[in-house]
């Protein structure tokens, strides 16, 4: 997607978040946010490249929590995230008992636990803002929403059309690897249009994961 097309897309919507939300997003990470993110994460999961799982963080939390908070705030305020922290181990999980093609595997990326904790903190900050910025018809990524809500909406629309004899066209689109195909330049420009600060936009760019097998 060229720059002109990107500009047309991002300017199609005039939504912009309130300044109070922007200030909240940029404020330093608190000990309470860090505590919540760590203890909401389930243990007994495969670790990332560094081999340190969530169980280590939980069992040693009283010892490491202060240093972790300093590190997270340095990463968040400066966008300085080391490449080793973003490395992920790509693992292909078979979808069937006898996989034969690449489509028969579900790739997942094992990430370092500290990276996931920081990502969870930022995601929690963004959650209350999404209701203002995203279209009401979007269900994925919304708190309390999900794919079943989308299915229920389609079902209700069909029932209504049948009862009222209203012409209706239902289109089902399945975008394979959507996030890999969409222009990331567009996504970053959209953050600026919505009113996110340069600090936050820079941070999200540096959070890109580098997966390897």
């Amino acid at each position: 997607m060229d720059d002109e097309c990107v500009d047309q897309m991002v300017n199609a919507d005039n939504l912009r978040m309130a300044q109070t939300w922007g200030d909240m997003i940029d404020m330093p990470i608190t000990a309470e946010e860090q505590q919540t993110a760590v203890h909401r994460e389930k243990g007994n999961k495969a670790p990332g490249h560094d081999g340190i799982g969530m169980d280590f963080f939980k069992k040693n939390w009283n010892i490491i929590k202060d240093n972790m908070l300093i590190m997270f705030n340095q990463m968040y305020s400066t966008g300085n995230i080391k490449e080793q922290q973003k490395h992920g181990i790509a693992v292909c999980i078979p979808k069937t008992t006898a996989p034969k093609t690449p489509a028969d595997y579900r790739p997942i990326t094992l990430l370092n636990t500290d990276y996931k904790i920081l990502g969870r903190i930022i995601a929690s900050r963004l959650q209350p803002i999404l209701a203002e910025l995203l279209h009401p018809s979007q269900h994925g990524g919304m708190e309390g929403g999900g794919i079943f809500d989308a299915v229920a909406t389609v079902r209700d629309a069909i029932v209504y059309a049948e009862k009222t004899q209203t012409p209706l066209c239902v289109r089902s689109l399945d975008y394979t690897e959507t996030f890999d195909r969409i222009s990331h330049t567009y996504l970053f420009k959209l953050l600026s249009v919505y009113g996110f600060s340069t600090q936050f936009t820079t941070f999200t760019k540096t959070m890109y994961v580098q997966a390897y097998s």
Side-chain angles (χ1 to χ4, degrees):
M1 182 180 290
D2 58 35
D3 291 340
E4 183 178 353
C5 292
V6 169
D7 290 338
Q8 290 178 353
M9 290 292 294
V10 298
N11 293 322
D13 197 335
N14 294 322
L15 285 177
R16 188 176 179 86
M17 70 177 180
Q19 182 60 45
T20 52
W21 284 122
D23 294 339
M24 185 271 288
I25 289 292
D26 289 339
M27 72 179 187
I29 296 170
T30 66
E32 290 75 17
E33 288 180 305
Q34 183 180 242
Q35 178 91 359
T36 300
V38 169
H39 291 284
R40 282 183 58 188
E41 186 74 28
K42 295 180 180 179
N44 196 28
K45 288 188 175 182
H49 177 252
D50 61 7
I52 303 175
M54 181 55 72
D55 291 329
F56 170 84
F57 282 84
K58 289 187 175 183
K59 290 180 180 179
N60 298 280
W61 189 239
N62 288 333
I63 300 173
I64 65 176
K65 62 181 180 181
D66 293 335
N67 289 330
M68 293 298 299
L69 185 61
I70 294 173
M71 182 188 74
F72 282 149
N73 273 308
Q74 288 178 344
M75 293 166 63
Y76 188 49
S77 62
T78 65
N80 184 17
I81 302 176
K82 301 300 182 182
E83 295 302 318
Q84 297 91 327
Q85 292 175 286
K86 297 188 292 181
H87 282 173
I89 302 175
V91 179
C92 293
I93 308 298
K95 297 180 182 178
T96 65
T97 56
K100 296 180 180 179
T101 67
D104 294 330
Y105 292 89
R106 178 180 294 105
I108 63 172
T109 303
L110 305 181
L111 302 173
N112 289 346
T113 303
D114 58 347
Y115 178 95
K116 292 195 291 185
I117 293 172
L118 181 56
R120 182 180 288 275
I121 292 171
I122 304 308
S124 296
R125 287 190 174 189
L126 289 174
Q127 196 64 55
I129 306 175
L130 297 182
E132 293 187 7
L133 297 180
L134 299 182
H135 194 277
S137 65
Q138 177 165 331
H139 298 281
M142 299 287 287
E143 186 174 8
I147 187 62
F148 294 111
D149 296 305
V151 173
T153 300
V154 174
R155 179 199 60 200
D156 293 343
I158 294 174
V159 171
Y160 174 83
E162 290 177 345
K163 287 187 176 182
T164 60
Q165 298 298 308
T166 302
L168 176 68
C169 175
V170 177
R171 176 181 294 180
S172 177
L173 302 176
D174 184 7
Y175 292 102
T176 304
E177 300 175 350
T178 306
F179 188 73
D180 295 329
R181 296 173 183 271
I182 195 172
S183 169
H184 291 178
T185 300
Y186 162 74
L187 294 178
F188 289 130
K189 279 200 172 184
L190 197 60
L191 289 177
S192 298
V193 171
Y194 280 161
F196 288 94
S197 66
T198 302
Q199 171 191 323
F200 182 81
T201 304
T202 300
F203 171 76
T204 55
K205 288 181 179 179
T206 60
M207 284 284 281
Y208 268 146
V209 173
Q210 296 181 353
Y212 66 95
S213 56

